[in-house]
Amino acid sequence: MSRLAVPNLETDNGPSGQVYAQIKKAIGSVPNTFAAIAAHGPAALKSVLAADAVLAGGSLTKRDQEIIKLVISDAGGCDYCVAAHSHLAKLAGVDPDVLRQIREGEQTGDPKRDALVRLVRKLAQSSGTVGEADFAAIRAAGYSDAQLVEISLAFATTVFTNVFNRINDTDIDFPAVA
């Protein structure tokens, strides 16, 4: 059970309620993690949503964004975020078998995707330190300077939600990971 209380999403008229209304309008419901963050730090959630808007306007595909977020969540042991990003990656068109391969640390057969997974996993395991060979490999896979900035932004926001969900022990409201 989540550790932090969340007010009634339907009756909250404060700053959190305004954020809830925006999320419901955009995606139809408020995920438990967003509800808990907004209840206790609406500005923090607005920052996460703003970063996601920047990513949506960038050059990384939605698939790449969700793969980045999945790899970070898996490396960080955040069950909530693994379920969320597995589901969102499926919605973005990533095959469930590919998602399983990513979670299990296997090659997917797509050299560009595998280079991205390797880099992000390396970032997660090394506190963000990468060597020349890692940098050369992601560049050789075709990722641009701008995309490296976007990878970094996706990484940063996902670490925040991972840590928050681990602190809160957020109840998972996404489909179970198969």
Side-chain angles (χ1 to χ4, degrees):
M1 179 163 181
S2 295
R3 295 174 176 147
L4 301 177
V6 175
N8 184 313
L9 302 182
E10 303 302 323
T11 61
D12 186 343
N13 293 320
S16 300
Q18 294 167 9
V19 176
Y20 299 147
Q22 292 170 346
I23 295 168
K24 282 180 78 171
K25 183 177 180 184
I27 62 174
S29 65
V30 180
N32 288 342
T33 189
F34 287 176
I37 295 169
H40 303 284
L45 182 58
K46 286 180 183 179
S47 294
V48 170
L49 297 175
D52 281 345
V54 168
L55 290 169
S59 60
L60 283 176
T61 66
K62 183 66 173 165
R63 289 177 184 178
D64 280 350
Q65 292 172 43
E66 291 304 329
I67 286 169
I68 291 165
K69 293 175 179 186
L70 174 61
V71 171
I72 295 162
S73 300
D74 186 56
C78 181
D79 294 340
Y80 184 94
C81 292
V82 168
H85 296 298
S86 292
H87 178 70
L88 294 170
K90 283 182 201 171
L91 294 178
V94 181
D95 185 88
D97 286 336
V98 169
L99 294 173
R100 180 195 51 75
Q101 291 168 322
I102 291 169
R103 287 190 305 267
E104 293 179 5
E106 299 173 359
Q107 297 290 309
T108 68
D110 179 315
K112 187 171 184 177
R113 179 177 43 229
D114 289 342
L116 178 62
V117 168
R118 275 191 307 276
L119 176 75
V120 174
R121 188 167 283 124
K122 175 80 172 206
L123 288 169
Q125 294 169 343
S126 69
S127 300
T129 302
V130 296
E132 277 303 315
D134 300 312
F135 180 77
I138 197 70
R139 292 307 300 268
Y143 286 93
S144 69
D145 293 349
Q147 288 173 320
L148 291 172
V149 171
E150 294 168 19
I151 290 166
S152 300
L153 180 59
F155 188 97
T157 59
T158 306
V159 168
F160 168 76
T161 56
N162 280 199
V163 169
F164 175 79
N165 287 315
R166 304 272 322 260
I167 290 169
N168 185 40
D169 197 18
T170 308
D171 291 334
I172 300 172
D173 54 348
F174 286 92
V177 174

